[in-house]
Amino acid sequence: MTEIKVKQEFAGTVVGFGKGSLPLGKRDDLEELAVMALQANDKHILNMFDSLPTLQELQDAKASKISASMKAAVPAKNTPVKPEFPKDKIG
Amino acid sequence: MLCKTPAALAKVCNNTASGVSKAWLFDPLDFTWTQPTATNGSGALTVVARATGATAIGGALMYPVILDNKDNASEYTAKRSSKNRKPKYEHNLNLKYEALSQTFTDWLTAIDATACCGVGIVMLLNNGKILIAGQRVIGGTEIAYPLQMLLDDGTFTSGKATDDFQGGDLNFKGDHNLPLNEFTGNISVIVGFES
C-alpha cells in the first residue's frame, strides 16, 4: 500500500475531524482523513499530501484490521474451556 | 427506481434532549469543509480546516457565544414551505444574551459589520449533535448557493423588576432550499479552532 505522506509545508496545518483539531504532522489518524478526503474528492485536503493510497486500499486495510481484531477476540475453535470452580466449593 | 428514490429514516432512540447548548460564529470564507456527497449540498460535513490564506493570527477563528441554557434559553428553529414544488427553509437561531454592557455593544458592532457577507454558525445541541449553518467553502471552493445567515432583528431591554431579563434577544436568519447539515467530528474539533 502506498505510504501516506504529508507535504512538508502542511505539517503544521491544523485540520479538524474525528476527535479533535491538530496539525497534520501530529495526527496518528491520517488514514481516516485520507478516506474522507478521497470520498469527497476534497482537493483542498488532498493537496496537503505528497502521496496517498487509493480509497480501495484504505478500505481493504481497514477491513483486514477489523477482521484481525475479531479473530483475536474469539477463542480458537478447538481450545478446551476449563471450568473454574471456587476452591472452597470443591469437595 | 423509475423516478426518484426516497430514503429510509430510522427512529432515534438515544439522547433526544432539546435545546442549544453553545454556539460559535465564524467568517464563512475562513473555513473549508469536507462533504462526502457534495453533489447537491446535502450530506454530513466530516472535516474542517482553514481556507487558503486564512490564519489564526488574521482572525480566522471559531468565536464562542456562551448561551444561557436555563431561564432564557436560546433556540434554533426552521420553517419549511414550498412553492412551485421547490422547498424553502427559513432558518432562525435565536440568541439571548443577558447583560447590557460594553462587551455586548462591542460584540454587536462586530457582528453588524458582517452584514455584507453573513456569518457561519456552529450550534452544539443538548443532545450532542453539531449543526452547521452558513458554510460557504466546500473542498476549498466557494459553493454557488450558500446559506447566508445574518443578524436580522433583535430587541434589547433593561427589564423593569430586578429579576426581569435584561439584555438582548437576537435572531440570526437565513433562507435556503436545504435543512442544516451535521458535523460528524467531536465538539473539541470546533474548540480547537478558538485560538
Side-chain angles (χ1 to χ4, degrees):
Chain A
M1 189 168 81
T2 315
E3 189 191 356
I4 298 179
K5 205 171 162 193
V6 175
K7 285 180 186 168
Q8 194 56 44
E9 65 265 37
F10 291 108
T13 301
V14 177
V15 176
F17 64 93
K19 291 177 202 157
S21 296
L22 275 176
L24 280 183
K26 291 185 178 173
R27 296 208 73 121
D28 60 2
D29 49 3
L30 291 176
E31 293 93 347
E32 200 185 325
L33 176 62
V35 167
M36 292 187 287
L38 286 165
Q39 278 174 339
N41 191 24
D42 187 323
K43 292 190 171 58
H44 184 81
I45 301 292
L46 293 175
N47 182 49
M48 296 175 184
F49 294 94
D50 255 333
S51 61
L52 274 181
T54 63
L55 186 57
Q56 190 62 51
E57 284 175 325
L58 287 161
Q59 285 169 339
D60 289 349
K62 192 179 176 185
S64 49
K65 208 182 274 182
I66 292 169
S67 164
S69 66
M70 281 172 76
K71 274 180 194 161
V74 177
K77 250 184 184 175
N78 296 325
T79 307
V81 179
K82 194 176 170 186
E84 282 181 19
F85 298 102
K87 279 181 184 169
D88 57 335
K89 297 276 167 71
I90 300 172
Chain B
M1 181 189 76
L2 295 176
C3 181
K4 279 282 181 188
T5 311
L9 185 62
K11 182 171 167 59
V12 176
C13 293
N14 52 7
N15 187 355
T16 53
S18 306
V20 181
S21 168
K22 197 172 173 185
W24 287 260
L25 303 181
F26 63 95
D27 181 336
L29 289 176
D30 280 350
F31 290 93
T32 173
W33 304 80
T34 302
Q35 193 171 36
T37 51
T39 48
N40 59 3
S42 184
L45 304 163
T46 54
V47 183
V48 60
R50 286 192 179 90
T52 306
T55 60
I57 294 170
L61 301 171
M62 292 285 176
Y63 295 90
V65 179
I66 309 299
L67 305 176
D68 188 339
N69 60 5
K70 210 178 166 196
D71 296 331
N72 288 290
S74 298
E75 182 186 21
Y76 161 73
T77 55
K79 183 186 165 201
R80 186 193 186 281
S81 59
S82 68
K83 199 164 74 177
N84 299 318
R85 298 187 187 181
K86 295 171 189 170
K88 183 169 88 171
Y89 292 84
E90 295 168 48
H91 300 282
N92 183 23
L93 176 63
N94 173 252
L95 294 181
K96 291 190 180 68
Y97 184 84
E98 179 108 36
L100 298 174
S101 61
Q102 189 57 47
T103 305
F104 192 31
T105 297
D106 292 345
W107 181 81
L108 279 165
T109 308
I111 300 303
D112 282 342
T114 67
C116 59
C117 44
V119 285
I121 303 175
V122 177
M123 289 173 242
L124 172 64
L125 306 184
N126 282 333
N127 65 7
K129 299 280 185 194
I130 303 167
L131 297 179
I132 311 294
Q135 72 277 13
R136 190 174 299 178
V137 185
I138 301 289
T141 307
E142 269 193 70
I143 53 177
Y145 175 34
L147 164 61
Q148 198 174 47
M149 294 297 287
L150 294 169
L151 178 53
D152 187 82
D153 56 43
T155 55
F156 305 87
T157 177
S158 65
K160 283 182 183 175
T162 54
D163 57 353
D164 279 350
F165 171 76
Q166 69 101 356
D169 185 331
L170 307 168
N171 289 303
F172 285 87
K173 292 182 181 176
D175 296 350
H176 203 266
N177 66 342
L178 289 171
L180 299 186
N181 287 308
E182 192 182 331
F183 178 65
T184 59
N186 193 285
I187 197 60
S188 58
V189 169
I190 306 300
V191 174
F193 284 108
E194 283 184 7
S195 56

